[in-house]
Amino acid sequence: MSGLAFLIPVALLLGLGGLGAFLWALRGGQFDDLDGAALRILIEDDKKNGADR
């Protein structure tokens, strides 16, 4: 029983920490452009590939 008295507050603090990190990322604009990263791989960039040599 004493183990639960320790583990329940620890679990609640970790959950609140995860929620805080999610809200921080949400306010920081981390999830604003979900399609941009998926489409960026399709754009050819000749300078990065070394084709300009």
Side-chain angles (χ1 to χ4, degrees), residues 1-22:
M1 189 67 175
S2 65
L4 286 177
F6 174 72
L7 290 176
I8 290 175
V10 169
L12 288 174
L13 286 174
L14 286 174
L16 287 174
L19 181 63
F22 172 72

Side-chain angles (χ1 to χ4, degrees), residues 1-52:
M1 189 67 175
S2 65
L4 286 177
F6 174 72
L7 290 176
I8 290 175
V10 169
L12 288 174
L13 286 174
L14 286 174
L16 287 174
L19 181 63
F22 172 72
L23 291 175
W24 180 41
L26 191 64
R27 287 185 184 173
Q30 184 72 28
F31 304 111
D32 284 349
D33 184 20
L34 296 178
D35 294 329
L39 296 176
R40 197 174 307 133
I41 195 169
L42 301 175
I43 299 171
E44 289 188 25
D45 189 8
D46 292 336
K47 292 179 183 176
K48 283 187 179 178
N49 294 333
D52 59 342

